[in-house]
Coordinates of all heavy atoms in Angstrom, one line a residue:
V1 N 74.9 96.8 103.4 CA 75.1 95.4 103.7 C 75.8 94.7 102.5 O 75.3 94.9 101.3 CB 73.8 94.7 104.0 CG1 74.1 93.2 104.4 CG2 73.0 95.4 105.1
T2 N 76.9 94.0 102.7 CA 77.5 93.2 101.7 C 77.7 91.8 102.2 O 77.5 91.5 103.4 CB 78.9 93.8 101.3 OG1 79.8 93.7 102.5 CG2 78.8 95.2 100.8
Y3 N 78.0 90.9 101.3 CA 78.2 89.5 101.7 C 79.1 88.8 100.7 O 79.4 89.3 99.6 CB 76.8 88.8 101.6 CG 76.1 89.1 100.3 CD1 76.3 88.3 99.2 CD2 75.2 90.2 100.2 CE1 75.6 88.6 98.0 CE2 74.6 90.5 99.0 CZ 74.8 89.7 97.9 OH 74.2 90.0 96.7
H4 N 79.7 87.7 101.1 CA 80.7 87.0 100.3 C 80.6 85.5 100.7 O 80.6 85.1 101.8 CB 82.1 87.5 100.6 CG 83.1 86.9 99.8 ND1 83.3 87.2 98.5 CD2 84.0 85.9 100.1 CE1 84.3 86.4 98.0 NE2 84.8 85.7 99.0
L5 N 80.5 84.7 99.6 CA 80.6 83.2 99.8 C 82.1 82.9 99.7 O 82.7 83.1 98.6 CB 79.8 82.5 98.8 CG 78.3 82.5 99.0 CD1 77.6 81.8 97.8 CD2 77.9 81.8 100.3
V6 N 82.7 82.4 100.7 CA 84.1 82.0 100.7 C 84.3 80.7 99.9 O 83.7 79.7 100.2 CB 84.7 81.9 102.1 CG1 86.2 81.6 102.0 CG2 84.5 83.2 102.9
K7 N 85.1 80.8 98.9 CA 85.5 79.6 98.1 C 87.0 79.4 98.2 O 87.7 80.1 98.9 CB 85.1 79.9 96.6 CG 83.6 80.2 96.4 CD 83.3 80.6 95.0 CE 81.9 81.0 94.9 NZ 81.6 81.6 93.6
N8 N 87.5 78.4 97.5 CA 88.9 78.1 97.5 C 89.6 79.0 96.5 O 90.4 78.5 95.7 CB 89.2 76.6 97.2 CG 88.8 75.7 98.3 OD1 89.0 76.1 99.5 ND2 88.2 74.6 98.0
N9 N 89.3 80.3 96.6 CA 89.9 81.3 95.7 C 90.4 82.5 96.5 O 89.6 83.4 96.7 CB 88.9 81.7 94.6 CG 89.4 82.6 93.6 OD1 90.5 83.2 93.8 ND2 88.8 82.7 92.5
P10 N 91.6 82.5 96.9 CA 92.1 83.6 97.7 C 92.1 84.9 97.0 O 91.9 86.0 97.6 CB 93.5 83.2 98.1 CG 93.8 82.0 97.4 CD 92.6 81.4 96.7
D11 N 92.2 84.9 95.7 CA 92.2 86.2 94.9 C 90.8 86.8 95.0 O 90.7 88.1 95.2 CB 92.6 86.0 93.5 CG 94.0 85.6 93.3 OD1 94.8 85.9 94.3 OD2 94.4 85.0 92.3
E12 N 89.7 86.0 94.9 CA 88.4 86.5 95.0 C 88.1 87.1 96.4 O 87.5 88.2 96.5 CB 87.4 85.4 94.7 CG 86.0 85.9 94.4 CD 85.1 84.8 93.9 OE1 85.1 84.6 92.6 OE2 84.4 84.1 94.7
Y13 N 88.6 86.4 97.4 CA 88.4 86.9 98.8 C 89.1 88.2 99.0 O 88.6 89.1 99.6 CB 88.9 85.8 99.8 CG 88.8 86.2 101.2 CD1 87.5 86.5 101.8 CD2 89.9 86.3 102.0 CE1 87.5 86.9 103.2 CE2 89.8 86.7 103.4 CZ 88.6 86.9 103.9 OH 88.5 87.3 105.2
Q14 N 90.4 88.3 98.5 CA 91.1 89.5 98.6 C 90.5 90.7 97.9 O 90.5 91.8 98.3 CB 92.6 89.3 98.1 CG 93.4 88.5 99.1 CD 94.7 88.1 98.6 OE1 95.1 88.4 97.4 NE2 95.6 87.5 99.4
A15 N 89.9 90.4 96.7 CA 89.2 91.4 95.9 C 88.0 91.9 96.7 O 87.7 93.1 96.7 CB 88.8 90.9 94.6
Y16 N 87.3 91.0 97.4 CA 86.1 91.4 98.2 C 86.6 92.3 99.3 O 86.0 93.4 99.6 CB 85.4 90.2 98.7 CG 84.3 90.5 99.7 CD1 83.1 91.1 99.3 CD2 84.5 90.2 101.1 CE1 82.2 91.4 100.3 CE2 83.5 90.5 102.0 CZ 82.4 91.1 101.6 OH 81.4 91.4 102.5
N17 N 87.6 91.9 100.1 CA 88.1 92.7 101.2 C 88.6 94.1 100.7 O 88.3 95.1 101.4 CB 89.3 92.0 101.9 CG 88.8 90.9 102.8 OD1 87.7 90.9 103.2 ND2 89.7 89.9 103.1
K18 N 89.2 94.1 99.5 CA 89.7 95.4 99.0 C 88.5 96.3 98.6 O 88.5 97.5 98.9 CB 90.5 95.2 97.8 CG 91.1 96.4 97.2 CD 92.1 96.1 96.1 CE 92.7 97.4 95.5 NZ 93.6 97.1 94.4
A19 N 87.4 95.7 98.1 CA 86.2 96.5 97.7 C 85.5 97.1 98.9 O 84.9 98.2 98.7 CB 85.3 95.6 96.9
I20 N 85.6 96.5 100.0 CA 84.9 97.0 101.2 C 85.9 97.5 102.3 O 85.5 97.8 103.4 CB 83.9 96.0 101.8 CG1 84.7 94.7 102.3 CG2 82.9 95.6 100.8 CD1 83.9 93.9 103.2
L21 N 87.2 97.6 101.9 CA 88.2 98.2 102.8 C 88.3 97.4 104.1 O 88.3 98.1 105.2 CB 88.0 99.7 103.0 CG 88.0 100.5 101.7 CD1 87.8 102.0 102.0 CD2 89.3 100.4 100.9
F22 N 88.2 96.1 104.0 CA 88.4 95.3 105.2 C 89.8 94.8 105.3 O 90.3 94.2 104.3 CB 87.4 94.1 105.3 CG 87.5 93.3 106.5 CD1 86.8 93.7 107.6 CD2 88.3 92.1 106.5 CE1 86.9 92.9 108.8 CE2 88.4 91.4 107.7 CZ 87.7 91.8 108.8
C23 N 90.5 94.9 106.4 CA 91.9 94.5 106.6 C 91.9 93.4 107.6 O 91.8 93.7 108.8 CB 92.7 95.7 107.0 SG 94.4 95.2 107.4
P24 N 92.0 92.1 107.2 CA 92.1 91.1 108.2 C 93.2 91.2 109.2 O 93.1 90.8 110.4 CB 92.3 89.8 107.4 CG 91.8 90.1 106.0 CD 92.1 91.6 105.9
H25 N 94.3 91.8 108.8 CA 95.5 92.0 109.6 C 95.3 93.2 110.6 O 96.1 93.3 111.6 CB 96.8 92.3 108.8 CG 97.0 91.2 107.8 ND1 97.3 89.9 108.1 CD2 96.9 91.2 106.4 CE1 97.5 89.2 107.0 NE2 97.2 90.0 106.0
C26 N 94.3 94.0 110.4 CA 94.0 95.1 111.3 C 93.1 94.8 112.5 O 92.8 95.7 113.3 CB 93.4 96.3 110.5 SG 94.5 96.8 109.1
L27 N 92.6 93.5 112.6 CA 91.7 93.2 113.6 C 92.1 93.5 115.0 O 91.3 93.6 115.9 CB 91.2 91.7 113.5 CG 90.4 91.4 112.2 CD1 90.1 89.9 112.2 CD2 89.2 92.2 112.1
K28 N 93.4 93.5 115.2 CA 93.9 93.8 116.6 C 94.1 95.3 116.9 O 94.5 95.7 118.0 CB 95.3 93.1 116.8 CG 95.2 91.6 116.7 CD 94.4 91.0 117.8 CE 94.3 89.5 117.7 NZ 93.2 88.9 118.4
A29 N 93.7 96.1 115.9 CA 93.8 97.6 116.1 C 92.9 98.0 117.2 O 91.9 97.4 117.5 CB 93.5 98.3 114.8
N30 N 93.1 99.1 117.8 CA 92.3 99.6 118.9 C 90.9 99.9 118.6 O 90.0 99.8 119.5 CB 93.0 100.9 119.5 CG 94.3 100.7 120.1 OD1 94.6 99.6 120.6 ND2 95.1 101.7 120.2
T31 N 90.6 100.2 117.4 CA 89.2 100.5 117.0 C 88.4 99.3 116.7 O 87.2 99.4 116.5 CB 89.1 101.4 115.8 OG1 89.8 100.8 114.7 CG2 89.7 102.8 116.1
W32 N 89.0 98.1 116.7 CA 88.2 96.9 116.5 C 88.0 96.2 117.8 O 88.9 96.2 118.7 CB 89.0 95.9 115.5 CG 88.8 96.3 114.1 CD1 89.6 97.1 113.3 CD2 87.7 95.9 113.2 NE1 89.2 97.2 112.1 CE2 88.0 96.5 112.0 CE3 86.6 95.2 113.4 CZ2 87.1 96.4 110.9 CZ3 85.8 95.0 112.3 CH2 86.0 95.6 111.1
Q33 N 86.9 95.5 117.9 CA 86.5 94.8 119.1 C 87.7 93.8 119.4 O 88.2 93.2 118.5 CB 85.2 94.0 118.8 CG 84.9 92.9 119.8 CD 84.3 91.8 119.0 OE1 84.2 91.7 117.8 NE2 83.9 90.8 119.8
Q34 N 88.1 93.7 120.7 CA 89.2 92.9 121.0 C 89.0 91.4 121.2 O 89.9 90.6 121.1 CB 89.8 93.5 122.3 CG 90.4 94.9 122.2 CD 91.5 95.0 121.1 OE1 92.4 94.2 121.2 NE2 91.3 95.9 120.2
D35 N 87.7 91.0 121.4 CA 87.4 89.6 121.6 C 87.1 89.0 120.2 O 86.0 88.6 120.0 CB 86.2 89.5 122.5 CG 85.9 88.0 122.9 OD1 86.8 87.2 122.7 OD2 84.8 87.7 123.2
N36 N 88.1 88.9 119.4 CA 87.9 88.4 118.0 C 88.9 87.3 117.7 O 89.2 87.1 116.5 CB 87.9 89.5 117.0 CG 89.2 90.3 117.1 OD1 90.2 89.8 117.6 ND2 89.1 91.6 116.8
N37 N 89.5 86.6 118.6 CA 90.5 85.6 118.4 C 90.0 84.5 117.5 O 90.8 83.8 116.8 CB 91.0 85.1 119.7 CG 91.7 86.1 120.5 OD1 92.3 87.0 120.0 ND2 91.7 86.0 121.8
Q38 N 88.7 84.2 117.5 CA 88.2 83.1 116.7 C 87.9 83.5 115.3 O 87.6 82.6 114.5 CB 87.0 82.5 117.4 CG 87.2 81.9 118.7 CD 85.9 81.5 119.3 OE1 84.8 81.7 118.9 NE2 86.0 80.7 120.4
W39 N 88.0 84.7 114.9 CA 87.5 85.2 113.6 C 88.5 84.8 112.5 O 89.7 85.2 112.6 CB 87.3 86.7 113.5 CG 86.2 86.9 112.5 CD1 84.9 87.2 112.8 CD2 86.4 86.9 111.1 NE1 84.3 87.3 111.6 CE2 85.1 87.1 110.6 CE3 87.4 86.6 110.3 CZ2 84.8 87.1 109.2 CZ3 87.1 86.5 108.9 CH2 85.9 86.8 108.4
H40 N 88.1 84.0 111.5 CA 88.9 83.7 110.4 C 87.9 83.3 109.3 O 86.8 82.8 109.5 CB 90.0 82.7 110.6 CG 89.4 81.3 110.9 ND1 88.9 80.9 112.1 CD2 89.3 80.2 110.1 CE1 88.5 79.7 112.1 NE2 88.7 79.2 110.9
A41 N 88.3 83.5 108.0 CA 87.6 83.0 106.9 C 87.9 81.6 106.5 O 89.0 81.2 106.7 CB 87.8 83.9 105.7
Y42 N 86.9 80.9 106.0 CA 87.1 79.5 105.6 C 86.2 79.1 104.5 O 85.1 79.7 104.4 CB 86.9 78.5 106.8 CG 85.6 78.8 107.6 CD1 84.3 78.4 107.1 CD2 85.6 79.6 108.7 CE1 83.2 78.6 107.8 CE2 84.4 79.9 109.4 CZ 83.2 79.4 108.9 OH 82.0 79.7 109.6
P43 N 86.6 78.2 103.6 CA 85.8 77.8 102.4 C 84.4 77.3 102.9 O 84.4 76.6 103.9 CB 86.6 76.8 101.8 CG 88.0 77.1 102.1 CD 87.9 77.6 103.6
G44 N 83.4 77.7 102.2 CA 82.0 77.3 102.6 C 81.3 78.2 103.6 O 80.2 78.0 103.9
G45 N 82.1 79.3 104.0 CA 81.5 80.2 104.9 C 80.8 81.4 104.2 O 81.2 81.8 103.1
L46 N 79.7 81.8 104.8 CA 79.0 83.0 104.3 C 79.5 84.2 105.2 O 79.3 84.1 106.4 CB 77.5 82.9 104.3 CG 76.7 84.1 103.9 CD1 77.0 84.6 102.5 CD2 75.2 83.9 104.1
I47 N 80.0 85.2 104.6 CA 80.4 86.4 105.3 C 79.4 87.5 105.1 O 79.0 87.7 103.9 CB 81.8 86.9 104.9 CG1 82.9 85.9 105.2 CG2 82.1 88.3 105.5 CD1 84.3 86.3 104.7

């Protein structure tokens, strides 16, 4: 289990995604759940 507090720092968010191999652009790939149109990161969110 990992977690991230989204701040107004895109570099920190990108570093987190890189550390856990999460690709926001890959969400539409066949292996990801297809009902994810609302998913996006925003400042003040806990991931």
Side-chain angles (χ1 to χ4, degrees):
V1 184
T2 64
Y3 48 88
H4 181 77
L5 285 174
V6 183
K7 301 174 186 171
N8 287 322
N9 183 344
D11 292 338
E12 195 173 271
Y13 178 62
Q14 289 174 353
Y16 171 71
N17 282 338
K18 185 176 180 182
I20 63 164
L21 301 177
F22 182 84
C23 173
H25 306 291
C26 302
L27 292 178
K28 298 294 182 200
N30 291 336
T31 57
W32 280 93
Q33 163 217 7
Q34 294 300 307
D35 184 22
N36 54 27
N37 295 330
Q38 297 178 348
W39 209 104
H40 68 280
Y42 48 82
L46 173 64
I47 294 174

